[in-house]
Amino acid sequence: MSVLFKDIKALLPSEDGGLEIGDCSVFVDGDSIASTRGVPEGMSADTVIDGRGKLLIPGLVNSHTHVYMTMFRNCADDLAFTDWLFGHILPLEDKMTAEDCYWGSLLGYMEMIATGTATSLDMFVFPETAVRAASEAGVRAVLSRGLTGGEDDRAGGARRLREARTEIEKWRGKSGLITYMLGPHAPYTCDPGYLKEAAALADELKLGISIHLAESRDEIRTVRERYGCTPAEYLDRCGILRETTVAAHCVHLTDSDIALLARRGVSVATNPVSNLKLGNGAAPVPKMLKAGINVCLGTDGAASNNTLNMFRELSFLSLIHKGAAEDARTVSAAQALRAATAGGAKALGLGGITGEIKPGLKADLAVLDLEAPWMKPHNNILSSLAYSANGSEVETVMVGGRLLMKNREFLTIDRERVLYEVDKTCRRLGLL
């Protein structure tokens, strides 16, 4: 299939490494962008999408989420982090079946597609449910099984590692859209021996690592009491910090932690809305950017964020740090957009594959309506993406050259069936 996005404005990489808005006609041939200058000579478009009054952007990259947790949206709010996690979310999670997680994941992918997200890094719980949902939805997904283990759960921890290995070996390479990372959950749920086992498996399978880090002050205290160091130092001792590691949250980092992450080449997935909502604070993103850390952007799960909407996230990313620093120049619109696109692709090991609109990259694209009242006038479209857009402008989404949503109609997911199954599950769990 070939598609021409004709006479459309687009968010493009600039020559200085930044972003700019340009007028172009983007031609997609198969799964890739073939040209930003119209249909190449000797070729033709099967489908032409009129770009007048529209904006084409790279599909957004959600660099840290738990897609299945849409089931827990709005059911454990206004609670302290420890009470939220251990008192409410984990007990609910224990009641879930693999099928529940499958339907919750499809709901999450519907939401992300509807708001322009093409790619996500998902930490999930049940084997094979995440790959099933992502494959059916047609999204680009990096999947990481949540792994916990230690002295009090050696058998369970070993089983989860085995299951992760089995799933990865079964599915790896079968879809160009699905890749894997290993997902040791957090410094407070994995002891040193377990983290070293996970690091060794990542080396063996040549995989990146996805992990939570320095999310709450309770975590800082727990790790300090157990191991006499910061969580970042603890992970480094266990071989977890490396160029292929994505560390989520990183709210409570010392200056030496930031320097350590920069030295190791770790990418940081900041989750501003989740961190604010759970009362954990705001990550030191300006310091991380200054240190040269690749900062990307994630929503976390809908259990804490309540949405998987990356437009809300990138707006908060810029606004919260301007306010905290009392400096309107901190975390610009362009920096926030880069974190939500190319920065995320780099973190997930997809740099040079997706995250930008350039010939040769995969056609992961979203079309936005620029005629929405809150997007007018078009004084600075780049700024409007960070400060005016809310996700409802998204009309059409393509991943790997395949249309997943056109004119706001889902093409790969049965919307009514998903909503029915989600409500049925929530009634069984006592949430409705």
Side-chain angles (χ1 to χ4, degrees):
M1 180 179 178
S2 59
V3 178
L4 177 66
F5 297 92
K6 185 178 180 182
D7 299 329
I8 197 165
K9 293 187 180 299
L11 180 66
L12 301 169
S14 59
E15 290 184 2
D16 62 3
L19 295 169
E20 62 184 10
I21 302 296
D23 294 304
C24 57
S25 289
V26 176
F27 180 66
V28 173
D29 185 35
D31 67 353
S32 300
I33 299 168
S35 170
T36 56
R37 298 181 178 181
V39 181
E41 187 176 350
M43 303 184 75
S44 61
D46 298 321
T47 300
V48 176
I49 294 177
D50 186 355
R52 289 174 296 179
K54 313 295 182 186
L55 174 69
L56 190 69
I57 67 169
L60 302 178
V61 180
N62 188 341
S63 297
H64 176 71
T65 189
H66 307 272
V67 185
Y68 69 95
M69 280 190 172
T70 52
M71 290 290 191
F72 305 149
R73 195 194 312 270
N74 303 320
C75 74
D77 296 331
D78 306 322
L79 300 170
F81 176 72
T82 302
D83 186 22
W84 170 83
L85 180 60
F86 295 104
H88 291 77
I89 297 304
L90 291 183
L92 280 171
E93 199 170 86
D94 288 341
K95 298 178 182 178
M96 292 187 80
T97 67
E99 195 71 2
D100 297 338
C101 288
Y102 163 74
W103 291 112
S105 294
L106 281 179
L107 178 65
Y109 287 127
M110 281 173 55
E111 181 182 0
M112 286 195 281
I113 292 167
T115 51
T117 292
T119 303
S120 60
L121 171 53
D122 178 28
M123 185 178 284
F124 61 95
V125 290
F126 281 99
E128 306 207 10
T129 56
V131 68
R132 179 182 164 202
S135 298
E136 291 179 12
V139 296
R140 193 176 301 279
V142 182
L143 305 177
S144 61
R145 169 73 186 277
L147 303 169
T148 60
E151 288 293 343
D152 59 343
D153 188 24
R154 283 292 176 211
R159 172 181 55 78
R160 285 183 281 274
L161 275 172
R162 287 195 305 272
E163 289 173 345
R165 175 197 284 275
T166 299
E167 176 171 346
I168 291 164
E169 290 176 341
K170 176 180 177 180
W171 289 100
R172 197 176 191 184
K174 288 192 175 180
S175 167
L177 297 176
I178 307 294
T179 54
Y180 281 90
M181 284 185 168
L182 280 188
H185 174 260
Y188 55 90
T189 54
C190 299
D191 74 4
Y194 197 70
L195 286 174
K196 290 175 182 177
E197 288 181 52
L201 185 57
D203 287 337
E204 178 190 342
L205 299 179
K206 294 182 172 55
L207 296 174
I209 291 173
S210 167
I211 192 166
H212 300 82
L213 173 61
E215 184 174 3
S216 70
R217 292 199 182 279
D218 283 343
E219 176 186 332
I220 305 302
R221 283 191 291 270
T222 297
V223 173
R224 178 72 67 181
E225 289 169 2
R226 289 179 184 174
Y227 309 113
C229 60
T230 69
E233 292 167 338
Y234 168 57
L235 294 186
D236 194 47
R237 292 176 187 177
C238 298
I240 295 295
L241 301 186
R242 51 184 72 182
E243 287 187 3
T244 54
T245 294
V246 180
H249 302 297
C250 294
V251 177
H252 301 289
L253 297 178
T254 65
D255 288 347
S256 62
D257 288 338
I258 292 172
L260 173 61
L261 295 179
R263 268 197 320 277
R264 297 291 184 252
V266 173
S267 291
V268 171
T270 186
N271 300 256
V273 174
S274 173
N275 296 151
L276 290 172
K277 178 150 176 295
L278 291 173
N280 284 328
V285 168
K287 284 186 175 182
M288 289 191 275
L289 290 171
K290 187 175 181 180
I293 292 172
N294 179 47
V295 176
C296 49
L297 186 62
T299 60
D300 206 3
S304 61
N305 185 313
N306 299 60
T307 82
L308 302 180
N309 185 341
M310 285 285 286
F311 279 99
R312 183 169 80 147
E313 211 69 35
L314 70 89
S315 180
F316 266 84
L317 172 61
S318 185
L319 297 178
I320 189 64
H321 296 295
K322 294 180 189 300
E326 298 183 33
D327 183 355
R329 297 164 297 181
T330 300
V331 189
S332 67
Q335 285 176 309
L337 284 163
R338 188 158 185 82
T341 53
K346 178 181 177 181
L348 274 54
L350 302 172
I353 296 174
T354 186
E356 296 179 292
I357 299 177
K358 291 197 313 190
L361 299 192
K362 299 302 181 186
D364 296 355
L365 304 166
V367 178
L368 279 63
D369 177 16
L370 285 179
E371 298 304 302
W374 53 91
M375 299 294 281
K376 297 276 285 187
H378 301 153
N379 296 324
N380 186 328
I381 293 173
L382 195 150
S383 287
S384 72
L385 286 171
Y387 306 130
S388 304
N390 58 44
S392 67
E393 310 82 9
V394 177
E395 294 183 338
T396 296
V397 173
M398 167 183 283
V399 175
R402 180 188 184 192
L403 290 170
L404 308 187
M405 183 175 76
K406 186 176 182 182
N407 296 328
R408 298 191 172 93
E409 179 185 355
F410 293 108
L411 303 178
T412 59
I413 299 174
D414 184 339
R415 178 182 183 275
E416 297 306 320
R417 174 73 189 278
V418 171
L419 298 180
Y420 168 79
E421 295 291 348
V422 166
D423 283 349
K424 184 171 73 172
T425 295
C426 287
R427 282 193 292 271
R428 182 175 57 77
L429 294 175
L431 298 173
L432 287 180

